[in-house]
Amino acid sequence: MNIAIVTLDTFGQKMAGPAIRVWEMARLLAADHAVSVYSFGAVNRGGDGFDLEEVEVANFQDKLGSPDVVIIQGYLAQTFPWLTTSDFKLVVDLYDPFHIESLQVERFHPMDERQAALDHSVRELNTQVRGGDFFLCASDKQRDMWLGHLAALGRINPLTYEADPQLRNLIDVASFGVPAEEPRATRKAIRGVVPGIGEDDKIVIWGEGVYNWFDPLSVIRAVDLAREQVPNIRLFFMGAKHPNPDVPEMQMLRDARAIASELGLAGTHVFFNEDWVDYSDRHNYLLEADLGVSAHLPGLETDFSFRTRMLDYLWAGLPMVATQGDFFADLIEEKELGVAVPMEDPDAMAQAFVQLLGNDGDLHATATRVDNAAVAFRWETTLAALVNYCANPWEAADRSLDRRAGGALGGGHSLGMLARKAVRAIRETGIRETAGKVRRYVARRG
């Protein structure tokens, strides 16, 4: 198959989650297909077995051509509505519910801007949901949410239900993943390199950006509490500056810097890497850490999130401390991969740090369980639904309803359907009652 993947994210040595996901999709699919990746962000590296190209709005349609399958991610369908009406099969990657995310991204903006951002994201998703042949999401919980969206826009109907009563032909789970190759250290990255972090320190690593829906403040407060029993605890934020220049610095990062300074921890127990770690170099940071940490705030974003960088902790065999309420907290508790603590509870998090960092035997045993759990999240496993689809792509069973272009739920009853309903009504209620129903129907339609 000729497969095109389209995204808005940037590609270079430094890549955020959306670009990483597209990169790994392309690498996996390129084993059996001709794959081209097109990005409206900056592209500063070549592909790995696939073509990778930066495009502009003016030449995008010509560049794309007529592939067999197009996979889209992000805000694209409103800008290029022809994506949902062309002859190719359209796969929509819904792993990031950005309408819910916008509630937190825009949280500190004026209310009219917040509402406009939400309206924009919902319009985009409605266009995607109406136009896609096949949809991907990150977890079963996300899938339940997206099934509601699909149902509301008429995509769950007799045709799609008849094709597959479980609707896996319409939407399936394809979560983020980890490489099959185990990470191997190639250089020193933190210990003895970052001023203030020594060879024997206990390193707790925050492996992602600092966004408004996260809670680094509780983590910093927990470090302040834990240092009484673990004086050499060190918290290291891997990336403060996002690699995509379109993503602004968020208020939560400013607040985290402020509280670290206020508590006297900045540069002694709390450290911010002012750049973004190269994708191909991240393992060197992760392998020097003792624990991985993730903390978030209560809300819908947390409920339906899939913390992609938590998978890096799995890949690197890192025991984890995370706040409860999302997919990975449940996994941590089920598989005993660390400790899940209540949200916004620095005391509980501090106790978790002390518990894990204070017993090398327990820490090692937990790391072994993390290694075992990581196997199930290898890319070839998590993206199996996409691989299967691309091997023999199908169009949505309800494409004949012509909902892709306008998104209408149908143009009313056909004459044939009305005739059948009339015959059935006469048999069940008689001519007089049926005639009354017909008059009332005509009056409503007229």
Side-chain angles (χ1 to χ4, degrees):
M1 296 292 168
N2 290 317
I3 298 172
I5 310 177
V6 190
T7 183
L8 301 174
D9 217 2
T10 60
F11 290 84
Q13 294 307 310
K14 298 172 173 58
M15 297 191 296
I20 292 169
R21 182 170 170 85
V22 167
W23 180 273
E24 297 296 347
M25 279 182 176
R27 283 213 307 176
L28 188 60
L29 294 173
D32 298 305
H33 309 285
V35 179
S36 299
V37 174
Y38 300 98
S39 176
F40 290 92
V43 174
N44 297 310
R45 67 184 302 179
D48 184 5
F50 56 89
D51 294 329
L52 176 57
E53 187 174 353
E54 183 177 337
V55 293
E56 297 179 354
V57 171
N59 65 5
F60 172 49
Q61 190 165 11
D62 289 338
K63 287 279 188 182
L64 185 66
S66 301
D68 299 299
V69 177
V70 174
I71 304 166
I72 64 171
Q73 173 199 88
Y75 291 82
L76 288 165
Q78 283 278 293
T79 305
F80 307 104
W82 50 266
L83 285 169
T84 66
T85 58
S86 298
D87 290 336
F88 48 69
K89 312 300 188 298
L90 183 65
V91 178
V92 179
D93 187 8
L94 297 172
Y95 96 101
D96 178 13
F98 50 74
H99 58 327
I100 294 176
E101 185 177 278
S102 77
L103 297 173
Q104 283 285 8
V105 171
E106 308 290 333
R107 187 177 180 188
F108 301 101
H109 293 184
M111 186 57 70
D112 60 338
E113 294 181 15
R114 295 171 65 181
Q115 189 61 54
L118 178 64
D119 291 346
H120 174 59
S121 62
V122 171
R123 284 194 300 270
E124 173 65 34
L125 287 170
N126 286 348
T127 303
Q128 293 182 10
V129 166
R130 287 177 175 126
D133 288 298
F134 184 56
F135 300 89
L136 304 174
C137 59
S139 66
D140 284 318
K141 185 169 184 177
Q142 267 196 13
R143 185 172 182 268
D144 289 342
M145 177 187 69
W146 291 122
L147 283 170
H149 203 138
L150 288 159
L153 293 183
R155 294 303 309 274
I156 297 178
N157 53 59
L159 292 174
T160 53
Y161 183 80
E162 191 68 21
D164 175 16
Q166 293 185 321
L167 297 172
R168 294 284 174 181
N169 280 355
L170 185 62
I171 179 169
D172 211 342
V173 175
S175 72
F176 226 78
V178 301
E181 307 82 13
E182 292 185 2
R184 303 291 182 199
T186 55
R187 74 174 185 91
K188 297 287 288 184
I190 303 177
R191 298 180 185 275
V193 176
V194 176
I197 302 181
E199 293 290 343
D200 297 326
D201 287 337
K202 300 292 188 180
I203 298 175
V204 178
I205 199 163
W206 177 289
E208 50 202 330
V210 183
Y211 308 128
N212 289 344
W213 49 88
F214 287 136
D215 181 19
L217 310 185
S218 291
V219 181
I220 294 170
R221 290 189 177 99
V223 168
D224 187 38
L225 296 170
R227 65 176 169 150
E228 294 183 10
Q229 297 181 65
V230 187
N232 60 342
I233 188 172
R234 302 290 185 265
L235 172 62
F236 184 78
F237 290 88
M238 266 179 64
K241 182 181 178 182
H242 199 282
N244 188 338
D246 294 330
V247 177
E249 180 177 283
M250 297 196 181
Q251 181 63 42
M252 188 57 77
L253 176 57
R254 293 189 283 270
D255 291 346
R257 294 184 193 277
I259 194 171
S261 296
E262 178 186 324
L263 294 173
L265 303 177
T268 60
H269 292 79
V270 176
F271 302 82
F272 294 90
N273 182 35
E274 297 302 334
D275 206 344
W276 191 273
V277 170
D278 289 359
Y279 183 54
S280 59
D281 191 36
R282 72 196 191 285
H283 62 286
N284 288 315
Y285 291 82
L286 295 163
L287 291 174
E288 290 190 28
D290 297 285
L291 290 178
V293 67
S294 181
H296 43 246
L297 298 168
L300 280 178
E301 193 283 332
T302 290
D303 292 342
F304 293 104
S305 67
F306 191 89
R307 307 293 182 211
T308 56
R309 290 308 179 95
M310 293 289 283
L311 287 161
D312 276 346
Y313 300 160
L314 285 173
W315 180 51
L318 275 177
M320 290 167 275
V321 174
T323 43
Q324 295 167 347
D326 70 353
F327 173 89
F328 281 103
D330 293 342
L331 184 71
I332 289 168
E333 292 182 323
E334 177 189 351
K335 302 291 185 181
E336 298 182 46
L337 308 180
V339 181
V341 301
M343 295 184 202
E344 300 182 281
D345 191 338
D347 291 315
M349 182 166 284
Q351 291 172 17
F353 288 159
V354 172
Q355 172 189 331
L356 288 167
L357 295 176
N359 189 316
D360 289 342
D362 285 350
L363 195 65
H364 179 75
T366 303
T368 299
R369 291 192 292 272
V370 173
D371 282 332
N372 293 335
V375 175
F377 288 92
R378 290 176 177 170
W379 284 109
E380 58 266 32
T381 300
T382 63
L383 294 180
L386 177 63
V387 171
N388 292 339
Y389 179 85
C390 290
N392 185 26
W394 57 85
E395 65 179 32
D398 60 346
R399 184 181 281 206
S400 61
L401 297 181
D402 197 27
R403 291 179 184 162
R404 292 172 62 124
L409 294 182
H413 300 301
S414 68
L415 290 177
M417 183 187 298
L418 290 173
R420 291 193 298 273
K421 288 171 69 72
V423 170
R424 187 164 60 246
I426 290 170
R427 289 174 179 167
E428 294 174 356
T429 63
I431 293 177
R432 180 175 296 179
E433 181 64 24
T434 300
K437 290 181 179 179
V438 169
R439 286 194 298 272
R440 290 191 292 274
Y441 176 82
V442 172
R444 289 198 305 271
R445 300 291 290 185

